[in-house]
């Protein structure tokens, strides 16, 4: 077994110092050499080697030294060495130490006394300690607090020894007396801790005797008081009321650590609304008063737990929680918003949205570099509020539409997706949203945002004026046609000629063109290019329309979206416009734009020609505009919208399912006891205790106390480690939690003998690491033992845990028996659990990480959906999009 020592230092065993060298150094007069030699001796002992020949040298040459460092190292040395023989009897030479320890306990220097008392706390041999007890007790009255506080701890450790009560039966009484006169906070804390551990009744008595002065006690003592309260209340629930009053009084303590512990204790002991409200209020104060981000994150975790168990009370605190948004840290802001969004109700929604709007406006001042990211979080939060409470959408949608042209594409994308959803779910806002969108469309700079905005224009421009404005807006953003110029060469061949641009001034070329109504006109096409090679280069965004610059950069997917939107608008114009000539004019203009895009895509001016998908889609639009049937018109003008409505409904359904899955399922057992609150005696009960009773009864009646243990699932995860015929049977229950694996091993002694020094020895392969070695146990005949082993995982590769059980029998101590265990294979599938991810978040991650690894799969499945379901089931994942 490993030596127990309070010193943990790395020591390279590869170069062990020779015992003779250490001995010579210890016998010399050089203090520095002695210190160095003592350190080496301690290291060698810690590594499991024994140097018995050094003991007498140390007693003769080191013990008399007055140097403080040598005395401290000497105590470490004495702590490590074996003080008993193989039968457990104290070695006779240890009597030599006793006299030295007694001298140290009466030493004029308080440091020597203090460290010696601290050393005695680690001694387990009552034969060595017994002669020192009078000296220990004498130190309780020493003038220096350092000595007194260590003397109290020494008294506690003596009293806790197996024969402690015989050695020092009056210890609780002595410490009680000491506590009533002591002034030093640390000494008082140690004395109270001794009573708390060894004589709980005396600790409680002292607590209630000084109940009015608790607020003035030191932070350390107040922490021990809270620990005592937790222990007493768990064992004796009936007296909870009077202790909770003490906790509530400690909520006003000056120490933030005490306040935090008070709030945690209140939540763990009571479910009364008054107590929960006090705890939540305390957490909110800490959230605002603490500058350390780690503290804020921990407090937010506690508030999150309260939100799950006591949502009604947390709803009142939502505005206090939101004040944490003033912290510039994004993790804190995200956590704060997540908590707040689950606490919104019809009562507080207006206040919450008002607060979020103020925060959005603040992000417009470009002081902080991550304002775009924060704005995106706020937009998503407002989006969630507007879905839950559609009536607030009107107050925020126009403010958010100012950010459609945001340089942060993700933020702008969130805004346009929000607008798309609101225009469908809030028909009253349709006209104002469309008007605003057409007014601000020219500001949009990102292709994906443009595509979504064009879809909204195509689907929701319904009246004549809206359709005409929609077509005009698209034409304005595309600029003049054509997109490139064609000049006549001398041999009659046509050649495309890009327009050269000098110092950002545009050179125009002119040629005759046939207009929609059949007349001739001179048309100028302006393209801005760089001086160097004759290829298309888009100019500054301010000088040309956003759609034009994006299409000239080669984005023909957007070109296809423009074509579809124009087609939809023209088809809708046919329905709302009575004048045939106007419809024909609009159709011709749309065809001209669409054909120009096709020509640009097929020309040699752009480095990459148009892709096949976009080409097919644009050609389909041309065919539609030339010849439209009723069925096709119905698909284009109605089916798209219906699909979108279906998608929103499906999204809503999935969110509802997730909320239901998260909700606690609690079932009361048929034979559970029900207390009738109204029939109880209320004599001497405070309001808090009455509330607590009601809450406990409610929880018991609804079954919230009964944890729904997934026993069937648990049985599936038990692994047999040894055979049924082995003298020791072992099986393990494996729990995988993020990067931790916990092995809960049950070991059963199937023999009629006592097994001594039974040890579970484990080793790992792959990226697994054993955190701590399980200790040795003694197992009685036919008894069992639960042994826990923790393993850390450093990557998602498959790993193996293997090992054996080693023990000695009482009949044959010298021979060790080894039982080899079955291997435990830790699979990557254990780390994967199905989860949800928003489309925008997924796209962001897709762009950020290297994901794609192409894997060839052989399968007998013929249907794609069956294959998808098969993959989802076998990889333990979830499909991102609805079926």
């Amino acid at each position: 077994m490993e030596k127990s020592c309070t010193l943990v230092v790395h020591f390279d065993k590869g170069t062990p110092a020779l015992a003779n060298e250490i001995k010579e150094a210890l016998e010399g007069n050089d203090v520095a050499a002695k210190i160095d030699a003592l350190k080496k001796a301690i290291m060698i002992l810690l590594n499991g080697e024994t140097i018995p020949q050094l003991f007498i040298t140390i007693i003769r040459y080191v013990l008399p030294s007055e140097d403080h460092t040598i005395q401290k190292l000497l105590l470490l040395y004495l702590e490590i060495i074996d003080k008993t023989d193989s039968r457990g009897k104290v070695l006779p030479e240890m009597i030599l130490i006793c006299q030295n320890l007694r001298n140290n306990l009466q030493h004029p220097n308080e440091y020597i006394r203090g460290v010696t008392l601290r050393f005695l706390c680690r001694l387990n041999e009552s034969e060595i300690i017994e002669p020192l007890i009078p000296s220990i007790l004498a130190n309780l009255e020493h003038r220096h607090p350092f000595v007194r506080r260590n003397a109290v701890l020494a008294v506690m450790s003596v009293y806790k020894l197996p024969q402690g009560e015989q050695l020092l039966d009056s210890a609780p009484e002595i410490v009680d007396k000491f506590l009533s006169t002591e002034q030093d906070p640390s000494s008082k804390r140690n004395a109270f801790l001794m009573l708390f551990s060894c004589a709980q009744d005396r600790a409680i008595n002292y607590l209630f005797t000084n109940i009015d002065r608790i607020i003035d006690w030191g932070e350390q003592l107040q922490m021990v008081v809270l620990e005592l309260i937790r222990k007493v209340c768990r064992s004796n629930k009936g007296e909870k009321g009077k202790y909770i009053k003490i906790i509530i009084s400690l909520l006003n303590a000056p120490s933030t650590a005490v306040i935090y512990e008070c709030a945690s204790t209140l939540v763990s002991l009571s479910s009364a609304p008054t107590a929960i409200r006090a705890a939540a209020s305390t957490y909110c104060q800490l959230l605002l008063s603490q500058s350390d981000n780690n503290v804020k994150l921990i407090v937010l975790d506690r508030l999150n737990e309260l939100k799950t168990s006591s949502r009604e009370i947390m709803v009142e605190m939502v505005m206090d929680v939101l004040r944490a948004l003033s912290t510039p840290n994004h993790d804190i802001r995200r956590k704060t918003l997540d908590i707040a969004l689950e606490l919104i109700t019809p009562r507080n929604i207006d206040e919450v949205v008002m607060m979020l709007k103020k925060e959005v406006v603040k992000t417009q001042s470009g002081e902080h570099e991550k304002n775009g990211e924060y704005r995106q979080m706020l937009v998503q939060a407002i989006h969630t509020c507007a879905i839950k409470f559609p009536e607030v959408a009107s107050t925020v949608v126009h403010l958010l539409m100012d950010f459609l042209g945001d340089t942060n594409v993700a933020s702008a994308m969130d805004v346009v997706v929000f607008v798309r959803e609101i225009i469908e779910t809030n028909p009253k806002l349709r006209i104002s949203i469309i008007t605003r969108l057409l007014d601000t469309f020219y500001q949009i700079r990102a292709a994906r945002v443009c595509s979504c905005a064009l879809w909204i224009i195509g689907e929701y421009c319904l009246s004549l004026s809206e359709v005409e404005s929609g077509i005009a807006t698209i034409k304005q953003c595309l600029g003049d046609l054509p997109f490139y110029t064609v000049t006549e060469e001398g041999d009659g061949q046509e050649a495309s000629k890009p327009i050269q641009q000098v110092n950002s001034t545009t050179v125009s070329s002119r040629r005759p063109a046939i207009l929609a109504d059949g007349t001739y006109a001179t048309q100028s096409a302006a393209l801005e290019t760089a001086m160097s090679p004759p290829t298309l280069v888009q100019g500054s965004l301010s000088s040309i329309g956003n759609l034009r610059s994006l299409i000239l950069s080669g984005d023909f997917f957007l070109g296809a979206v423009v074509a579809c939107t124009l087609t939809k608008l023209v088809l809708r114009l046919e329905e709302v416009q009575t004048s045939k000539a106007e419809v024909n004019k609009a159709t011709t203009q749309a065809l001209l734009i669409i054909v120009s895009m096709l020509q640009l895509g097929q020309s040699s001016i752009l480095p990459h020609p148009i892709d096949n998908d976009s080409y097919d889609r644009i050609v389909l639009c041309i065919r539609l505009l030339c010849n439209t049937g009723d069925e096709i018109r119905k698909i284009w003008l109605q089916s798209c919208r219906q699909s979108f409505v279906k998608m929103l409904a499906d999204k809503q359904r999935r969110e509802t399912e997730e909320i239901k899955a998260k909700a606690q399922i609690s079932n009361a057992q048929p034979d559970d006891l029900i207390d009738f609150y109204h029939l109880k005696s209320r004599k001497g009960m405070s309001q808090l205790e009455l509330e607590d009773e009601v809450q406990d009864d409610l929880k018991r009646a609804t079954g919230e106390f009964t944890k729904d243990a997934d026993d069937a699932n648990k049985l599936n995860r038990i692994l047999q480690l040894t055979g049924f015929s082995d003298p020791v049977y072992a099986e393990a229950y494996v729990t995988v939690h993020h990067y931790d694996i916990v092995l809960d091993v049950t070991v059963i002694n199937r023999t009629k003998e006592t097994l001594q020094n039974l040890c579970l020895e484990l080793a790992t392969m792959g990226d697994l690491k054993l955190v701590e070695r399980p200790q040795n146990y003694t197992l009685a005949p036919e008894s069992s033992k639960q042994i826990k082993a923790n393993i850390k995982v450093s990557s998602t590769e498959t790993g193996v845990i293997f090992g054996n059980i080693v023990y000695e029998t009482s009949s044959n101590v010298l021979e060790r028996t080894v039982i080899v265990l079955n291997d435990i294979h830790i699979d990557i599938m254990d780390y994967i659990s199905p989860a949800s991810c928003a489309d925008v978040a997924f796209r962001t991650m897709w762009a950020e990480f290297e994901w794609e690894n192409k894997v060839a799969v052989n399968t007998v499945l013929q249907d794609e959906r069956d294959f998808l379901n098969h993959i989802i089931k076998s990889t333990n994942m979830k499909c991102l999009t609805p079926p």
Side-chain angles (χ1 to χ4, degrees), residues 287-306:
L287 196 57
L288 296 172
S289 63
Q290 294 305 298
S291 55
D292 188 332
N293 287 345
N294 293 317
V295 173
K296 288 185 187 244
L297 286 167
I298 291 167
V299 170
L300 283 168
D301 281 338
R302 297 293 84 77
L303 285 168
N304 199 18
E305 287 165 14
L306 277 185

Side-chain angles (χ1 to χ4, degrees), residues 551 554-560 597 600-601 606 608-611 614 618:
I551 290 170
D555 189 342
F556 285 102
F557 174 76
L558 179 64
M597 284 193 292
L600 176 69
L606 293 176
H608 301 292
I610 187 169
D611 59 285
S614 301
I618 292 174

Side-chain angles (χ1 to χ4, degrees), residues 706-748:
T706 57
K707 287 272 184 292
D708 187 22
D710 195 357
D711 295 328
N713 193 21
K714 208 169 181 181
L715 287 170
N716 294 338
R717 300 174 73 173
I718 288 178
L719 300 168
Q720 188 181 333
L721 299 181
T722 62
F724 290 118
S725 58
D726 284 316
V728 174
Y729 175 73
E731 62 183 24
Y733 172 61
V734 184
T735 311
V736 177
H737 181 72
H738 297 311
Y739 293 102
D740 295 306
I741 298 171
V742 179
L743 293 184
D744 205 339
V745 183
T746 306
V747 179
I748 302 169

Side-chain angles (χ1 to χ4, degrees), residues 637-833:
L637 295 183
Q638 292 172 21
S639 300
C640 294
R641 180 104 159 258
Q642 286 163 1
S643 296
F644 179 56
V645 171
K646 208 182 264 182
M647 184 187 105
L648 287 182
D650 202 273
K651 182 183 164 197
Q652 188 72 35
R653 182 180 59 76
R654 288 176 85 178
E655 283 173 0
T656 312
E657 280 174 10
E658 277 172 30
I659 291 166
K660 277 182 187 171
K662 278 183 193 171
Q664 289 178 323
I665 300 163
S666 49
N667 303 306
Q669 294 302 319
D671 54 354
D672 275 357
L673 180 73
I674 296 177
D675 286 331
F676 289 95
Y677 159 69
H678 291 287
L679 305 180
K680 275 189 174 176
S681 162
R682 303 185 196 179
K683 208 174 282 180
M685 288 179 91
S686 67
Q687 181 59 34
L688 194 76
E689 286 171 279
L690 288 171
E691 283 181 20
D692 223 11
E693 288 286 338
V694 176
Q695 290 300 319
D696 283 358
D697 291 348
L698 276 172
K699 284 187 176 179
R700 207 171 280 114
T702 56
E704 209 170 304
F705 282 152
T706 57
K707 287 272 184 292
D708 187 22
D710 195 357
D711 295 328
N713 193 21
K714 208 169 181 181
L715 287 170
N716 294 338
R717 300 174 73 173
I718 288 178
L719 300 168
Q720 188 181 333
L721 299 181
T722 62
F724 290 118
S725 58
D726 284 316
V728 174
Y729 175 73
E731 62 183 24
Y733 172 61
V734 184
T735 311
V736 177
H737 181 72
H738 297 311
Y739 293 102
D740 295 306
I741 298 171
V742 179
L743 293 184
D744 205 339
V745 183
T746 306
V747 179
I748 302 169
N749 176 7
R750 303 180 65 212
T751 65
K752 302 286 184 191
E753 289 184 285
T754 300
L755 305 183
Q756 295 176 343
N757 290 334
L758 182 137
C759 181
L760 175 70
E761 294 181 346
L762 294 172
T764 56
M765 264 173 67
D767 286 332
L768 304 174
K769 185 170 173 258
L770 196 64
V771 177
E772 57 191 335
R773 265 179 49 197
Q775 65 189 76
N776 290 14
Y777 297 97
T778 300
L779 214 54
E782 296 182 353
S783 67
S784 64
K785 185 83 194 161
Q786 298 283 113
I787 303 174
K788 272 195 165 61
N790 290 327
I791 289 163
K792 276 270 177 231
V793 184
S794 50
S795 84
T796 51
E797 286 179 16
T798 303
V800 179
I801 303 167
F802 56 94
N804 43 45
I805 289 174
V806 184
Y807 62 87
E808 299 161 359
T809 54
S810 48
S811 59
N812 191 353
V813 180
L814 298 174
E815 194 179 318
R816 305 203 80 191
T817 311
V818 177
I819 298 174
V820 179
L821 305 176
N822 280 340
D823 295 349
I824 299 171
H825 290 266
I826 300 297
D827 191 13
I828 186 174
M829 300 315 303
D830 295 330
Y831 306 106
I832 298 175
S833 53

Side-chain angles (χ1 to χ4, degrees), residues 400-430:
L400 293 185
M401 285 177 80
D402 291 339
F403 297 104
L404 282 172
D406 198 342
T407 48
N408 181 335
V409 178
S411 174
M413 197 64 212
D414 279 335
V415 172
V416 80
V417 167
F418 170 62
V419 170
R420 185 180 69 181
E421 199 162 327
I422 293 306
I423 200 169
E424 174 56 47
T425 52
N426 285 43
K428 292 177 189 169
L429 298 177
R430 187 191 64 78

Side-chain angles (χ1 to χ4, degrees), residues 200-487:
Q200 203 170 295
D201 293 343
R202 284 181 182 271
I204 293 167
N205 188 32
Y206 177 78
L207 180 64
F208 283 106
T209 310
N210 300 280
I211 198 162
D212 300 331
R213 292 202 291 272
I214 291 176
I215 198 73
D216 303 322
W217 288 355
E219 176 186 335
Q220 297 162 313
L221 184 52
Q222 287 173 341
M223 293 293 253
V224 182
V225 166
L226 288 169
E227 208 173 314
L228 170 75
I229 290 172
R230 276 199 291 268
K231 189 178 175 185
V232 172
C233 290
R234 282 196 193 104
S235 57
N236 186 1
K237 288 200 170 104
E239 297 188 353
K240 204 160 51 171
K242 58 183 179 184
Y243 289 108
I244 286 177
K245 286 174 195 164
I246 297 174
I247 300 171
I248 288 177
S249 72
L250 278 175
L251 283 173
N252 302 318
S255 161
T256 47
V258 172
I259 294 171
Y260 174 80
E261 279 301 317
C262 280
S264 303
T265 309
L266 264 182
V267 173
S268 66
L269 296 181
S270 172
S271 48
T274 311
I276 299 293
R277 202 170 279 117
S281 174
T282 304
Y283 285 143
C284 289
Q285 283 169 19
L286 288 171
L287 196 57
L288 296 172
S289 63
Q290 294 305 298
S291 55
D292 188 332
N293 287 345
N294 293 317
V295 173
K296 288 185 187 244
L297 286 167
I298 291 167
V299 170
L300 283 168
D301 281 338
R302 297 293 84 77
L303 285 168
N304 199 18
E305 287 165 14
L306 277 185
K307 177 203 75 188
T308 312
S309 58
S310 312
R311 187 177 181 273
E312 299 77 17
I313 291 159
M314 282 302 295
V315 163
E316 302 165 19
M317 302 280 173
V318 67
M319 294 312 290
D320 294 326
V321 174
L322 277 173
R323 284 161 70 188
L325 289 176
S326 57
T327 312
N329 181 287
H330 274 11
D331 292 326
I332 292 170
R333 284 171 164 174
R334 188 174 285 110
K335 226 169 198 174
T336 304
L337 287 171
D338 288 345
I339 293 170
L341 289 179
E342 291 187 36
L343 297 174
I344 48 175
T345 62
R347 272 184 174 179
N348 62 25
I349 183 67
D350 292 331
E351 281 182 286
V352 171
V353 170
M354 184 73 73
M355 176 91 168
L356 295 177
K357 275 170 70 177
K358 282 180 187 169
E359 289 295 314
V360 170
V361 172
K362 277 185 203 169
T363 62
Q364 284 178 291
S365 58
E367 292 166 22
H368 202 271
E369 57 189 40
K370 289 193 173 177
N371 269 352
E373 205 178 315
Y374 178 41
R375 190 182 309 126
Q376 188 186 349
M377 278 162 33
L378 291 168
V379 169
Q380 288 167 350
I382 292 171
H383 188 166
T384 308
C385 293
I387 291 166
K388 286 185 179 176
F389 300 96
E391 62 274 11
V392 300
S394 57
T395 61
V396 289
V397 71
H398 297 301
L399 169 75
L400 293 185
M401 285 177 80
D402 291 339
F403 297 104
L404 282 172
D406 198 342
T407 48
N408 181 335
V409 178
S411 174
M413 197 64 212
D414 279 335
V415 172
V416 80
V417 167
F418 170 62
V419 170
R420 185 180 69 181
E421 199 162 327
I422 293 306
I423 200 169
E424 174 56 47
T425 52
N426 285 43
K428 292 177 189 169
L429 298 177
R430 187 191 64 78
I431 296 170
S432 62
I433 290 176
I434 281 293
T435 310
R436 188 69 185 272
L437 182 60
L438 292 173
D439 289 345
T440 55
F441 185 79
Y442 71 96
Q443 297 172 352
I444 300 173
R445 292 283 166 257
R448 283 175 59 210
V449 182
C450 274
S451 300
C452 197
L454 284 167
W455 187 87
I456 296 170
I457 291 169
E459 285 297 332
Y460 295 97
C461 286
L462 302 179
S463 68
L464 177 61
S465 59
E466 287 168 358
V467 172
E468 286 174 343
S469 302
I471 295 172
T473 301
I474 293 171
K475 278 175 67 181
Q476 182 191 342
C477 291
L478 284 169
D480 296 335
L481 298 179
F483 290 105
Y484 70 99
T485 57
V486 179
T487 56

